[in-house]
Amino acid sequence: MTNKRENSIEISKAEFQKMGYKLIDTISDFFDNISDKPVTTSKSPKELQKLLGDSSLPKHGSAAADLLTSTSKLLLDNSLFNGHPKFFGFITSSPAPIGAFADLLASSINANVGGQILSPIATEIEKQTIKWLAEFIGVSPNYGGVLVSGGNMANFTAFLAARTAKAPKSIKEDGLSNSKQLITYCSKSTHTWIDKAAILFGHGTKSVRWIPTDASNKMNNQILEQTIKDDLKKGHQPFMVVGTAGDVSTGVIDNLEAIAAICKANDLWFHIDGAYGAPAAVIPELKELFKGIKDADSIALDPHKWLYSPLEAGCTLVKNPKHLINTYSSHPEYYNFSLSEEGGSLNYFEYGLQNSRGFRALKVWLALQHIGNDGYIKLITEDIELSKYFYELANKHPEIEPVTQNLSIATFRYIPKDLEKMDKKRDTYLNTLNEELVNNLQEGGELFLSNAIVLEKYCLRTCIVNFRTTKKDIEESIEIIVKEGRKTHEQLKA
Ligand SMILES: *Cc1c(COP(=O)(O)O)cnc(C)c1O
């Protein structure tokens, strides 16, 4: 106690406790009352900037307790709350409250999970988390991998491992110059990460073959096979096929088993982007849809989506984790410890793009245990049932046209009663109306949904990865959508 350095950063034990208890009171009130709040703030970016002011960084520090009090209020009054029971936008889940504790605890320990020597127990926890995730989605627990910031990073991490495995051995030294053009295949509904990866890793976006989808929005595997043949004829080198397990617009799962067979026949890497949908593979009734997942060379999945982890948490799983080490391991002289490759310590910096790494495993690990396998089955099943209920109510309502329903995503559009008169321009008008409606609903704060374009129809889209949503929320949401739809229609007509 005696030999303490005077400084402006340390917070005394008594102060830390006092501030901590107060903050926990604020957060527990927030969780308890979240459904009474608007889903999002009505303030514009300009108004928000005004709240912050435009002064320079303060020369002198301020009391931490005051900062925490004022900042809690600032955030609680001006945020979008994806933990709100009527938040259905994009694929962002309501966060498991235990994750808030996990982040606090993880930041306090501040494990650097890049090297085992820096994070003795944290490394083991990350390893166990990855094994549990593999078991959870029904693939062999021998898959290895790494936790990353999200789906994009999980897919990038796998992309480069696929390239190391399938491209000429010299690619790490020579780069792409000595290789044939390396071609990637994916369906038209694949998430934009694939373009970013092609740019980032120097392949160029022209190396991506966006394969058309069939009527059910799955990748057309006949066209896939033909395209691979054509590319081989042209002297290119196909190296990877991406199957999607839950596409971001409509939740469709590609025919994974057939893609696996095509990959096997052509010696291609089979990657599954299951950032959103992979956790649904745990549901017994859905096992058939995910057939083929066990054959994936790599899988991307996002605990911060359907496992309700707070942001950020993604995961890359690789059937033979050696491919990650071959891709990412390096041997700098300033690391004295043994490396994974030599059967030494498990250093996660050798498994992916990051070097220093946070302890994001903790919130995933704790949520997995807090909820448990069966708890997750119940939550995911209910999310799917609620989405079906949304679709069913949309179908029953004379002013809503249901469009698709897969996993926990429903799409539909608002159709005013008095539309018969405008035959020809009907579709164009409906697209404009529904686009405007999405914007109005997002700004309104009563609920939050996003959009999807399905077969050229501009649709409203709800994705339920939200353990707070109830049937009543959905019944009320239908009313809100119709009320806002009528209003928007009147405005557009005028
Ligand atoms: C969400 C999603 C991504 C991107 O994940 P982030 O966590 O937002 O980076 C990629 N692919 C699919 C299928 C997704 O649902």
Side-chain angles (χ1 to χ4, degrees):
M1 296 289 119
T2 46
N3 185 21
K4 272 198 176 173
R5 182 169 149 197
E6 258 314 298
N7 64 44
S8 54
I9 190 169
E10 193 70 87
I11 297 175
S12 75
K13 178 179 169 183
E15 266 185 310
F16 196 94
Q17 283 177 323
K18 206 168 143 204
M19 283 156 53
Y21 294 149
K22 189 171 169 205
L23 182 63
I24 295 295
D25 282 344
T26 305
I27 295 171
S28 49
D29 278 346
F30 161 61
F31 284 149
D32 202 39
N33 301 323
I34 192 166
S35 52
D36 301 335
K37 290 179 156 299
V39 185
T40 190
T41 172
S42 56
K43 294 193 189 83
S44 67
K46 273 234 159 68
E47 288 169 302
L48 295 173
Q49 286 153 19
K50 234 187 201 158
L51 290 178
L52 299 188
D54 62 357
S55 60
S56 309
L57 173 68
K59 188 167 164 59
H60 300 291
S62 326
D66 298 345
L67 286 171
L68 273 185
T69 305
S70 59
T71 305
S72 302
K73 184 165 163 45
L74 180 73
L75 296 185
L76 291 173
D77 289 349
N78 301 289
S79 291
L80 175 143
F81 301 113
N82 41 43
H84 191 288
K86 287 195 181 70
F87 179 86
F88 316 117
F90 308 103
I91 311 177
T92 304
S93 65
S94 44
I98 196 166
F101 286 124
D103 273 347
L104 177 63
L105 186 55
S107 310
S108 307
I109 308 291
N110 200 28
N112 185 339
V113 199
Q116 186 157 36
I117 194 174
L118 289 168
S119 53
I121 190 65
T123 292
E124 299 304 330
I125 287 175
E126 177 152 348
K127 186 175 158 201
Q128 187 166 55
T129 305
I130 289 162
K131 177 175 152 271
W132 282 348
L133 289 175
E135 282 173 350
F136 184 74
I137 63 167
V139 300
S140 160
N142 296 330
Y143 275 70
V146 62
L147 293 186
V148 295
S149 57
N152 266 36
M153 287 300 294
N155 285 306
F156 295 165
T157 305
F159 185 100
L160 212 57
R163 184 174 91 183
T164 312
K166 297 296 179 190
K169 287 277 167 284
S170 65
I171 190 131
K172 282 175 83 172
E173 293 76 33
D174 294 339
L176 295 170
S177 54
N178 279 351
S179 117
K180 298 177 187 175
Q181 194 179 13
L182 296 164
I183 310 287
T184 316
Y185 303 83
C186 64
S187 99
K188 273 214 148 44
S189 345
T190 306
H191 187 274
T192 63
W193 71 265
I194 191 94
D195 265 340
K196 277 197 189 175
I199 295 165
L200 186 61
F201 301 124
H203 294 216
T205 52
K206 284 182 182 162
S207 72
V208 180
R209 302 282 182 265
W210 298 88
I211 306 296
T213 46
D214 61 20
S216 59
N217 204 33
K218 294 175 194 245
M219 178 150 64
N220 183 321
N221 290 336
Q222 273 170 328
I223 302 183
L224 169 65
E225 272 190 295
Q226 190 54 50
T227 312
I228 294 170
K229 271 191 198 137
D230 294 347
D231 280 323
L232 286 168
K233 249 191 230 152
K234 286 180 199 151
H236 299 320
Q237 183 178 349
F239 84 105
M240 166 164 98
V241 182
V242 178
T244 297
D247 88 274
V248 0
S249 283
T250 63
V252 165
I253 300 164
D254 282 333
N255 185 340
L256 305 175
E257 204 179 18
I259 300 173
I262 294 169
C263 286
K264 202 164 174 202
N266 292 280
D267 189 26
L268 306 181
W269 184 276
F270 176 29
H271 174 70
I272 295 179
D273 179 5
Y276 155 56
V282 74
I283 310 293
E285 298 79 44
L286 297 182
K287 292 263 183 243
E288 195 60 29
L289 273 180
F290 285 89
K291 234 175 154 185
I293 195 171
K294 288 188 173 114
D295 295 319
D297 292 299
S298 57
I299 302 166
L301 84 119
D302 263 355
H304 71 205
K305 286 178 173 169
W306 223 346
L307 298 177
Y308 316 99
S309 165
L311 295 159
E312 304 166 341
C315 179
T316 308
L317 292 172
V318 178
K319 188 173 229 163
N320 179 356
K322 265 226 146 83
H323 292 300
L324 289 175
I325 295 176
N326 291 344
T327 308
Y328 296 108
S329 183
S330 59
H331 303 74
E333 62 188 14
Y334 42 83
Y335 289 165
N336 68 320
F337 43 81
S338 62
L339 292 162
S340 308
E341 202 178 319
E342 297 144 7
S345 45
L346 171 56
N347 305 305
Y348 277 111
F349 89 89
E350 299 179 78
Y351 282 71
L353 292 152
Q354 272 186 288
N355 194 61
S356 291
R357 301 174 67 252
F359 191 10
R360 57 168 64 89
L362 190 63
K363 60 193 168 196
V364 184
W365 188 72
L366 281 175
L368 285 170
Q369 292 176 87
H370 174 54
I371 299 160
N373 193 76
D374 292 357
Y376 271 112
I377 290 181
K378 179 169 182 288
L379 287 171
I380 293 171
T381 304
E382 286 171 359
D383 283 349
I384 294 172
E385 276 167 8
L386 286 168
S387 173
K388 287 182 175 160
Y389 188 54
F390 225 131
Y391 186 85
E392 192 187 306
L393 292 189
N395 193 19
K396 277 194 190 137
H397 201 287
E399 287 163 73
I400 307 182
E401 174 193 56
V403 179
T404 64
Q405 200 292 316
N406 296 287
L407 296 182
S408 67
I409 298 178
T411 64
F412 44 86
R413 55 183 189 166
Y414 176 71
I415 302 191
K417 278 185 188 152
D418 60 349
L419 214 61
E420 295 80 34
K421 289 162 244 154
M422 43 192 313
D423 265 358
K424 273 203 188 124
K425 291 188 182 143
R426 187 176 184 271
D427 284 334
T428 324
Y429 177 72
L430 280 179
N431 283 350
T432 311
L433 171 62
N434 280 279
E435 183 172 357
E436 192 66 21
L437 178 54
V438 169
N439 293 336
N440 289 345
L441 286 167
Q442 287 186 344
E443 280 163 24
E446 286 184 277
L447 58 76
F448 197 99
L449 46 67
S450 51
N451 73 300
I453 316 279
V454 185
L455 302 170
E456 297 182 5
K457 293 176 183 176
Y458 197 101
C459 295
L460 314 186
R461 168 189 171 286
T462 57
C463 175
I464 301 177
V465 281
N466 191 333
F467 56 85
R468 291 204 179 91
T469 305
T470 63
K471 278 183 128 175
K472 185 157 171 280
D473 288 309
I474 288 169
E475 289 154 11
E476 289 169 359
S477 293
I478 291 282
E479 296 310 315
I480 296 166
I481 289 164
V482 171
K483 176 193 74 181
E484 230 13 86
R486 287 176 187 160
K487 218 158 88 189
T488 307
H489 177 50
E490 289 310 315
Q491 282 162 359
L492 284 180
K493 273 201 311 191

